[in-house]
Amino acid sequence: MEKHKRKRGRPSKNAVSPEAMDMQTAANAGAAPSSSSGASPMADADHGEAGAPDTRRRRGRLRKPAPEQEEPPPAPEGRSGGRQKKAQRHQAGTAATHNKGGDPAKGPSSPRSSLVVVNNGGECGDHLLIAEQPLNWDQVARVMPSMDAVVKVFCVHTEPNFSLPWQRKRQYSSSSSGFVIGGRRVLTNAHSVEHYTQVKLKKRGSDTKYLATVLAIGTECDIALLTVNDDEFWDGVSPVDFGPLPALQDAVTVVGYPIGGDTISVTSGVVSRMEILSYVHGSTELLGLQIDAAINSGNSGGPAFNDKGKCVGIAFQSLKHEDVENIGYVIPTPVIQHFIQDYEKSGGYTGFPILGIEWQKMENPDLRKAMGMSPDQKGVRVRRVEPTGPESQFLKPSDIILSFDGIDIANDGTVPFRHGERIGFSYLVSQKYTGETALVKVLRKSKVYEFNIKLATHKRLIPAHIKGKPPSYYIIAGFVFTSISVLYLRSE
């Protein structure tokens, strides 16, 4: 092996091999060097937080290192093309570090800082340094959640007395969360303003409560729409933008005013499950997200943001059980958009349509054979049809529903949702609006039929709720007649 010698000066005792120095140079170019414990603060301020790579003279005598920080000895240069190769390797490593920091045309990849390549301006003009770009607060504001749009909701409730329908119960107050959307409107939960007498909103950092007007209450989806007539309330408030439906393990941040303090609170977690959930307030089943972020009393109505600062849902309920921890539920954006578009189309809330049937799975091969299904046919069996629904004119018990709007239904009642995911076929029904029609393919006595069914909301013989209105009653000859409901049965 040929012995390497220095071009000028005496040979250094601490000289290292070219291969080792190439690795050290690439390491210094690929990552910002950490400052030693003895480095002066002025040096860190000059080079920024991340610092700058060590620079050396290309020719001449060795520069003595500063007493505060040590400088590694220069690498011995071999043949005549050593300098050019080392400069190319150094520039390649610097460019790699620059690409890692982000594209200058697209802005930094992280809100803290980005690395750019600048000219040294020293003795060697082709030598490049890594410097930090100043912090761009406009880009930081876009990725951070719009917490100024989150408001605190104060409501005075007066529940009706179902046993004595001509009077009401004692008033009580509650506080929850909400957030501003486009069109000078505010979204919150329906149970936050249920049986309201007065609703007031308070902005973050303000000491004034503004009187609000309730525009619509969606009991099934547990969403309410509010507005404020005072122009002062809307000064300096930017509406929240909605994002797409998140995927599993996506980070979410819940913002609101939960119990335990008066100021705004932020909790973070990830999306752990996505399925058809039972909405406790509306006694319905709609699409919902399960997250592991803490959702406490007062978080209801607060937005859930993704890592890009877009709203992906509304916190509305949590699971309280001795065997579970940190299980909260969020109303996703498809349900929110359905509620908003329903209000804009009809001028009020009309509800989510349903297919008024009770069905059972067809996973048993003997049951499928008994119902006359071929091996390539899949679906669910109709056990009962709601007599008050329009589908009672088309569907009959023991019918096999094969598809809904052209989407095949599996034997377990699920349909393809996203890549590698399946969801209950009631999700397809809930995406429709009241009054729309759907094409339903049915197998009846080994024959396939197709029906265009007009969808409508669920009209139960005994309603589960009275949509926030006081109960109606009629008194005659000492007898009190009132409409029956689930709330009346519970009160009795």
Side-chain angles (χ1 to χ4, degrees):
M1 180 177 181
E2 184 181 357
K3 184 177 181 180
H4 296 277
K5 298 182 180 179
R6 297 175 57 86
K7 292 292 183 179
R8 304 176 180 84
R10 298 178 180 178
S12 175
K13 297 180 180 181
N14 297 328
V16 296
S17 62
E19 293 83 357
M21 197 58 206
D22 291 345
M23 296 174 62
Q24 185 176 2
T25 306
N28 292 334
S34 60
S35 59
S36 60
S37 59
S40 62
M42 291 300 294
D44 293 338
D46 292 340
H47 297 296
E49 294 179 2
D54 297 333
T55 59
R56 304 177 187 84
R57 293 176 179 268
R58 293 299 179 182
R59 52 182 67 86
R61 296 182 179 179
L62 295 177
R63 180 187 299 177
K64 294 183 179 180
E68 289 80 8
Q69 74 181 48
E70 297 181 0
E71 182 175 343
E77 299 177 359
R79 298 178 181 176
S80 59
R83 292 196 187 97
Q84 297 179 359
K85 293 181 180 181
K86 185 189 296 185
Q88 293 175 359
R89 286 193 297 267
H90 186 77
Q91 293 178 5
T94 307
T97 306
H98 174 64
N99 294 333
K100 184 178 179 181
D103 191 357
K106 298 181 180 178
S109 60
S110 64
R112 294 184 178 178
S113 62
S114 63
L115 301 179
V116 295
V117 180
V118 298
N119 195 340
N120 186 20
E123 297 179 1
C124 185
D126 59 349
H127 188 65
L128 299 178
L129 287 177
I130 300 176
E132 284 198 351
Q133 185 179 359
L135 198 63
N136 192 345
W137 290 106
D138 295 337
Q139 297 176 353
V140 176
R142 284 197 294 268
V143 299
M144 290 178 62
S146 303
M147 290 188 290
D148 289 339
V150 183
V151 298
K152 192 172 184 178
V153 181
F154 298 90
C155 183
V156 178
H157 307 263
T158 307
E159 293 184 356
N161 190 341
F162 292 93
S163 300
L164 305 174
W166 55 85
Q167 67 183 21
R168 290 176 175 265
K169 295 182 180 179
R170 187 177 180 179
Q171 289 184 351
Y172 67 95
S173 302
S174 69
S175 65
S176 56
S177 306
F179 59 98
V180 178
I181 63 173
R184 295 166 64 98
R185 295 171 296 184
V186 176
L187 281 181
T188 186
N189 281 142
H191 70 265
S192 300
V193 296
E194 185 183 19
H195 303 303
Y196 69 94
T197 302
Q198 186 184 67
V199 181
K200 290 186 177 182
L201 304 180
K202 182 179 179 181
K203 296 192 298 182
R204 181 191 179 195
S206 175
D207 58 348
T208 305
K209 296 180 181 178
Y210 299 90
L211 185 64
T213 303
V214 179
L215 298 177
I217 297 179
T219 308
E220 289 84 4
C221 58
D222 201 0
I223 304 176
L225 192 64
L226 315 176
T227 187
V228 177
N229 297 326
D230 195 345
D231 295 336
E232 183 182 357
F233 176 81
W234 306 102
D235 292 341
V237 178
S238 299
V240 169
D241 296 329
F242 290 101
L245 190 66
L248 296 181
Q249 294 185 351
D250 280 0
V252 291
T253 302
V254 180
V255 183
Y257 294 87
I259 191 174
D262 296 330
T263 59
I264 199 168
S265 173
V266 179
T267 56
S268 60
V270 297
V271 177
S272 55
R273 183 177 294 171
M274 186 182 308
E275 62 181 357
I276 300 297
L277 298 177
S278 176
Y279 284 38
V280 176
H281 178 71
S283 300
T284 54
E285 292 185 354
L286 296 172
L287 182 65
L289 302 179
Q290 177 183 323
I291 62 176
D292 61 352
I295 296 179
N296 298 314
S297 178
N299 264 126
S300 297
F305 296 100
N306 58 10
D307 54 356
K308 298 181 180 179
K310 303 291 184 179
C311 177
V312 295
I314 304 175
F316 74 114
Q317 67 186 25
S318 60
L319 181 59
K320 303 297 183 183
H321 195 271
E322 59 182 5
D323 295 334
V324 299
E325 293 181 0
N326 289 343
I327 294 183
Y329 297 101
V330 172
I331 303 173
T333 48
V335 180
I336 301 173
Q337 296 288 357
H338 188 284
F339 170 81
I340 296 175
Q341 294 177 9
D342 184 17
Y343 173 79
E344 293 175 350
K345 285 182 178 180
S346 58
Y349 175 72
T350 61
F352 286 75
I354 65 167
L355 195 62
I357 60 171
E358 293 181 3
W359 56 272
Q360 73 176 94
K361 299 179 181 181
M362 295 294 292
E363 296 177 330
N364 192 332
D366 295 333
L367 180 60
R368 293 198 300 268
K369 185 177 180 180
M371 299 303 298
M373 297 177 62
S374 60
D376 59 340
Q377 289 179 334
K378 297 180 180 180
V380 294
R381 176 181 176 270
V382 178
R383 296 180 56 187
R384 178 179 173 271
V385 182
E386 292 286 345
T388 58
E391 55 274 356
S392 60
Q393 303 176 4
F394 305 96
L395 302 180
K396 296 181 179 180
S398 297
D399 285 349
I400 307 298
I401 300 180
L402 302 178
S403 65
F404 183 88
D405 262 355
I407 300 179
D408 295 334
I409 302 175
N411 291 325
D412 59 351
T414 60
V415 293
F417 181 53
R418 293 191 300 189
H419 179 69
E421 298 181 52
R422 300 188 67 88
I423 199 169
F425 80 96
S426 60
Y427 169 74
L428 303 177
V429 185
S430 63
Q431 292 297 102
K432 294 284 187 176
Y433 291 90
T434 303
E436 293 184 351
T437 59
L439 180 62
V440 180
K441 184 183 293 186
V442 174
L443 178 66
R444 180 183 299 170
K445 296 181 179 179
S446 301
K447 293 183 179 180
V448 178
Y449 299 90
E450 291 185 351
F451 303 107
N452 283 319
I453 301 178
K454 185 178 180 180
L455 302 177
T457 57
H458 197 183
K459 297 180 180 179
R460 300 181 180 179
L461 297 177
I462 300 179
H465 48 79
I466 57 176
K467 298 182 179 180
K469 299 179 180 179
S472 61
Y473 63 96
Y474 182 71
I475 301 177
I476 181 172
F479 291 98
V480 179
F481 296 90
T482 183
S483 58
I484 190 172
S485 62
V486 176
L487 299 175
Y488 170 79
L489 297 177
R490 288 178 181 175
S491 66
E492 293 294 330

